[in-house]
Amino acid sequence: VQLQASGGGLVQAGGSLRLSCAASGRTFSSYDMAWIRQAPGKEREFVACITRRAGRTYYADSVKGRFTISRDNAKSTVYLQMNSLKPEDTAVYYCAADVMATTSVEYDYWGRGTQVTVSS
């Protein structure tokens, strides 16, 4: 499956952004999906994931209550709505796919990232 993330940009603290990730290739509904981010000089960090059937969602504590992951299987797209953004949310955001979601960064398929910059 090929993944293409979009929607990043520059936003002030407290603002919102919505990231999208379009999938192509294999059947999107066969995969659990995740968003993972990497800040400058830091390791990759799990942000959120959503299962393919029940649509169960899991979040990192650092984004719980501010970010919402969702998916539209008909459009082969996964979204990340980010509200109340903080400067520490600044990172490259990647979407990822696997047949089994985890709250780690161990996913088989990755898209190119999209930069999110939050100014203070």
Side-chain angles (χ1 to χ4, degrees), residues 47-118:
V47 175
C49 66
I50 185 168
T51 62
R52 61 189 179 278
R53 291 198 180 98
R56 291 193 182 95
T57 58
Y58 302 88
Y59 297 92
D61 288 342
S62 58
V63 307
K64 206 172 290 184
R66 300 187 298 120
F67 291 10
T68 302
I69 188 172
S70 61
R71 66 190 293 161
D72 185 336
N73 287 344
K75 294 183 178 180
S76 298
T77 301
V78 62
Y79 305 97
L80 185 69
Q81 178 66 44
M82 306 186 294
N83 298 330
S84 302
L85 282 161
K86 304 175 181 180
E88 51 263 43
D89 295 318
T90 295
V92 177
Y93 283 71
Y94 300 89
C95 62
D98 209 318
V99 293
M100 182 67 71
T102 76
T103 56
S104 73
V105 298
E106 300 298 324
Y107 280 76
D108 281 346
Y109 303 97
W110 292 76
R112 290 187 180 180
T114 185
Q115 176 71 46
V116 171
T117 303
V118 184

